[in-house]
Amino acid sequence: MATPQTAEVRKQRSIQRKVDADDRRKPEKVAKAMQAGARKYPEPPFPKQHHPKPGEEWKIEPAPMYEAPFYVGSKKLDGKVALITGGDSGIGRAVAVLFAREGADVAISYLSERRDAEATKQAVENEGRRCILLPGDVSRRTYCKKAVAETVKKLDGLDILVNNAAFQIHSADFADLTEKHFDTTLKTNLYGYFHMAQEAVPHMKPGSAIINTGSVTGIDGSRELVDYSMTKGGIHAFTRALSGNLIGKGIRVNCVAPGPVWTPLNPSEKEAADVSKFGAKTPMKRPAQPEEIAPAYVFLASPQMSSYITGEILPIIGGY
């Protein structure tokens, strides 16, 4: 005599047989990269390449896409002045272009990549806005003070600070992570953000914005990027803490936390074979291009679009 339990077992096994038969009939799927943008973006495998630090955009193949030709500006940042660290290439360059398209003048802070910086300056000027170049090391307080002062003097103010400059290089074995390596990562990624923000705030009026660049590694961690993950998690906490501190001044502080993005940072960080597969493990099966990330910075910078948003971490990681 069948019991309720045996009847349930038969039902479950019947469902299992159907699903097994369905699975056998389906052809094996070959995962394809997701293309959901206004134009097609490059997919792995990429050419094998490894570039010396700090990385130069003009050497990267294929060239990172930053122009956003289908993005139409609508004066979201009209009359604003922005200072972007690491603005010579990658995400920083794409943000500079869209800020200019939205009506902002832009100061570009960069370490030593003069050729890339000049290309970014030309791209900003092509949008009809002013651009100044500020070479120097964000890990040094004296440079940050000078960069902010030059921006205020030459562009007549400072409304938006984008902390974006970063140092990243892997260390496969934790025991191999040297103090020099660790110190360089922390000084660039944490001290740089702290110094720039502290120098910028006295010049900012209510309605101004600070946008930090975090990372998915600051959320999930990365086994070969212990120091970098640590700094990016720190940047997320810095964003939340500073946002509360500056509410009384009317200054919003937010963070964009990208996943893999095709910029000079990674071809100068990874081994050539790993660069070839960069971004392939995301649900979209490809890395983002800088122009896909930059609109988030416009959104967080614009008082018309995000006046009630502060202390937020916005992950853009190609799906979960």
Side-chain angles (χ1 to χ4, degrees):
M1 178 178 175
T3 66
Q5 292 95 321
T6 57
E8 178 64 22
V9 168
R10 285 198 298 271
K11 182 177 72 172
Q12 291 185 10
R13 289 178 179 172
S14 172
I15 293 170
Q16 182 185 34
R17 286 193 297 273
K18 181 194 182 293
V19 172
D20 289 345
D22 291 343
D23 288 343
R24 286 192 293 270
R25 286 196 300 270
K26 291 176 183 176
E28 185 176 351
K29 289 184 178 179
V30 178
K32 294 184 178 180
M34 182 177 180
Q35 297 288 347
R39 55 179 178 164
K40 190 175 187 298
Y41 296 110
E43 307 169 5
F46 301 111
K48 294 181 180 180
Q49 55 199 296
H50 183 64
H51 301 281
K53 285 290 185 186
E56 295 177 283
E57 183 149 322
W58 66 272
K59 293 181 179 179
I60 306 301
E61 185 184 353
M65 299 166 73
Y66 66 89
E67 305 95 334
F70 297 100
Y71 181 102
V72 179
S74 57
K75 298 184 178 181
K76 296 180 184 70
L77 303 175
D78 200 29
K80 303 289 186 183
V81 174
L83 169 57
I84 304 172
T85 72
D88 56 292
S89 62
I91 293 172
R93 176 186 286 183
V95 170
V97 170
L98 291 197
F99 277 13
R101 197 169 297 169
E102 291 291 358
D105 294 325
V106 182
I108 299 297
S109 163
Y110 68 100
L111 183 59
S112 62
E113 309 90 327
R114 183 75 188 188
R115 178 168 172 176
D116 283 346
E118 290 286 359
T120 302
K121 183 175 187 289
Q122 186 62 59
V124 169
E125 290 174 345
N126 288 346
E127 300 291 339
R129 306 307 304 181
R130 294 180 293 171
C131 183
I132 61 171
L133 301 181
L134 303 167
D137 180 3
V138 294
S139 71
R140 297 180 179 274
R141 179 68 177 238
T142 52
Y143 165 72
C144 295
K145 184 179 183 70
K146 180 181 177 182
V148 169
E150 286 289 299
T151 301
V152 172
K153 179 180 178 181
K154 294 183 178 179
L155 297 180
D156 309 311
L158 179 57
D159 305 288
I160 305 161
L161 170 65
V162 177
N163 277 318
N164 174 69
F167 177 80
Q168 173 191 323
I169 191 164
H170 70 277
S171 182
D173 192 324
F174 181 57
D176 293 334
L177 181 58
T178 66
E179 188 170 340
K180 179 181 179 181
H181 181 165
F182 182 79
D183 188 62
T184 300
T185 307
L186 264 66
K187 286 289 179 65
T188 304
N189 300 1
L190 289 178
Y191 281 58
Y193 283 39
F194 168 72
H195 292 324
M196 276 292 183
Q198 202 167 56
E199 293 296 337
V201 165
H203 300 279
M204 292 179 142
K205 300 174 183 177
S208 296
I210 297 173
I211 308 169
N212 298 318
T213 300
S215 170
V216 66
T217 65
I219 300 171
D220 296 338
S222 174
R223 60 186 295 271
E224 294 189 349
L225 296 170
V226 172
D227 55 325
Y228 183 79
S229 300
M230 181 178 173
T231 62
K232 290 301 180 175
I235 288 165
H236 298 171
F238 174 61
T239 298
R240 292 195 183 279
L242 187 61
S243 70
N245 190 278
L246 297 182
I247 276 184
K249 296 182 184 296
I251 301 170
R252 295 180 299 106
V253 186
N254 290 291
C255 180
V256 178
V261 186
W262 188 247
T263 76
L265 187 69
N266 287 285
S268 66
E269 187 274 314
K270 298 179 178 297
E271 296 179 6
D274 292 331
V275 172
S276 177
K277 299 176 286 186
F278 182 61
K281 292 183 179 179
T282 68
M284 287 195 181
K285 306 301 179 188
R286 64 173 180 85
Q289 290 294 319
E291 68 178 37
E292 296 181 278
I293 305 297
Y297 290 78
V298 174
F299 169 72
L300 293 174
S302 170
Q304 298 96 318
M305 301 181 72
S306 56
S307 60
Y308 201 65
I309 298 175
T310 192
E312 296 295 340
I313 316 299
L314 175 58
I316 306 178
I317 59 177
Y320 282 98

